Amino acid sequence: MHDDWFEDDELNSRQQAVVDVVRESARSWPECRPSDTVVLVFGPDEDDQEDVHPAARESRWEPPAEHTAYHTALDEALDRGEEVLTLMANLVDRRERERGLIFMTLGATVIGDRLFCSERHSQNYQTPEPTGDVAPLSAAGSPERLGRIAAAWFEEIMNRLVISSHPVVGGGYRFVPPGTALPPGHRWVRNGPL
């Protein structure tokens, strides 16, 4: 049976090497179905701000400091006409799976020989969220090395216990350390007892 984690269309050999390593790891991620993962390749013609001059773009929005290197690398790659590979994984509320309730989106972007991992906006996958419970990560190296680092980053987060207040108010999802007892008025969302 073919596993469809990080299903892709046509990737170059460097991109495929990253995807192959992460796809192999994904088979062991808890509460992650193939449909919770996706491969995106952004080309320069898909820059959502392509018609805005870079100086004007920078003056309108200043990214959080922890994501400045990522945004700089992304803009430079798209300006050079390079494709950018992004692997996405959605964390889904297991009790609300039928409704498709995604409470967090994770992204690992490969730009040349650099990797940038962070929580991502669930509608604009190239935009990192401000750092909260998920610390951004960056690395450099061969495609295989970047794949291993991205896979380990995804897996560590996928293995975290998640609870929410019940009913969910204001996005009340949060990570808790192993061994945490379920607080009153909360429920397990991922990786805890049913």
Side-chain angles (χ1 to χ4, degrees):
M1 180 176 151
H2 176 67
D3 291 325
D4 295 329
W5 278 271
F6 298 100
E7 186 64 27
D8 57 86
D9 293 325
E10 294 182 24
L11 302 175
N12 65 40
S13 60
R14 291 181 60 80
Q15 293 168 338
Q16 191 66 57
V18 173
V19 172
D20 287 347
V21 172
V22 179
R23 180 182 291 143
E24 184 63 33
S25 173
R27 291 184 175 103
S28 66
W29 295 348
E31 300 185 30
C32 182
R33 301 177 306 179
S35 61
D36 296 333
T37 67
V38 68
V39 172
L40 302 171
V41 178
F42 290 88
D45 58 332
E46 296 171 292
D47 183 0
D48 61 354
Q49 299 180 41
E50 68 177 314
D51 296 327
V52 180
H53 186 274
R57 198 164 52 212
E58 290 169 11
S59 66
R60 280 200 325 221
W61 183 75
E62 185 69 31
E66 66 267 25
H67 300 303
T68 300
Y70 164 76
H71 283 286
T72 300
L74 178 63
D75 287 345
E76 289 173 355
L78 294 175
D79 288 345
R80 287 190 305 267
E82 296 176 13
E83 288 186 338
V84 174
L85 172 71
T86 298
L87 306 181
M88 307 301 302
N90 292 314
L91 275 65
V92 178
D93 185 328
R94 70 180 176 199
R95 294 191 181 183
E96 303 290 342
R97 199 174 283 284
E98 295 77 33
R99 291 187 357 197
L101 183 58
I102 298 167
F103 65 88
M104 182 178 285
T105 299
L106 304 173
T109 298
V110 177
I111 303 172
D113 65 350
R114 297 173 70 189
L115 171 70
F116 298 91
C117 300
S118 62
E119 182 181 348
R120 299 295 172 88
H121 190 283
S122 62
Q123 295 172 343
N124 175 355
Y125 297 130
Q126 291 295 72
T127 303
E129 292 286 356
T131 300
D133 293 324
V134 176
L137 173 126
S138 62
S142 69
E144 293 78 11
R145 179 174 188 270
L146 299 182
R148 287 191 302 274
I149 292 168
W153 181 81
F154 278 121
E155 184 168 9
E156 187 277 324
I157 298 166
M158 290 285 186
N159 275 297
R160 292 181 186 180
L161 298 172
V162 181
I163 63 172
S164 74
S165 55
H166 190 68
V168 177
V169 178
Y173 296 95
R174 62 185 171 124
F175 295 112
V176 294
T180 298
L182 188 65
H186 287 73
R187 64 182 177 85
W188 292 107
V189 174
R190 286 180 62 86
N191 302 328
L194 288 174

